Amino acid sequence: MPKFLLTIYDDESRWATMTPEDGAKAIQAYREYSDEVQASGAFVAGEGLQPTMTAKTVTSEGVTDGPFAETKEQLGGFYLLDCTDEAEAVEWAGKVPSVVHMRGTVEVRPVQEFPTEE
């Protein structure tokens, strides 16, 4: 089956301004989503990322602190899924808590398969 990478983008400043109760609800929503996608058999891998202020950007000119681009939304995590087709991957993306609860965005991209050397 083809693999799809779901990258999760939202405004990380919203996390910083959440009440502890709202933060706990958001984390619980991600736990429930992760449980559902794992139970389906589509889950390959997934992780949340630390805030962008912890990032390093490496270019041919060296290393700088922080993310490369100044954007409104930041990459917050990903899920790598093994789906029957793109439609299934898009369906899973629509259930990601950042989309459902936080007006975030999930980009769905097929993973490029390279031929193996025999």
Side-chain angles (χ1 to χ4, degrees):
M1 285 200 302
K3 289 184 178 73
F4 293 86
L5 184 67
L6 280 58
T7 50
I8 303 163
Y9 294 90
D10 59 26
D11 182 351
E12 69 184 25
S13 68
R14 290 185 187 170
W15 286 91
T17 60
M18 282 185 185
T19 66
E21 295 80 19
D22 287 342
K25 286 179 188 175
I27 296 300
Q28 183 60 32
Y30 268 99
R31 284 189 181 119
E32 290 170 5
Y33 175 83
S34 295
D35 290 346
E36 181 183 358
V37 76
Q38 287 175 18
S40 78
F43 181 83
V44 176
E47 296 290 343
L49 301 175
Q50 293 292 329
T52 56
M53 64 187 233
T54 65
K56 301 282 186 220
T57 298
V58 180
T59 67
S60 60
E61 297 179 16
V63 179
T64 58
D65 290 337
F68 177 70
E70 294 295 323
T71 62
K72 187 175 176 181
E73 294 182 326
Q74 296 79 34
L75 176 62
F78 72 92
Y79 286 92
L80 179 61
L81 304 183
D82 208 354
C83 298
T84 56
D85 56 24
E86 183 180 76
E88 181 186 0
V90 168
E91 184 177 333
W92 280 115
K95 296 179 179 182
V96 172
S98 283
V99 170
V100 176
H101 304 291
M102 299 176 69
R103 297 187 309 258
T105 304
V106 174
E107 180 180 283
V108 177
R109 291 180 69 178
V111 173
Q112 188 167 358
E113 307 255 346
F114 293 100
T116 58
E117 293 185 37
E118 299 289 323

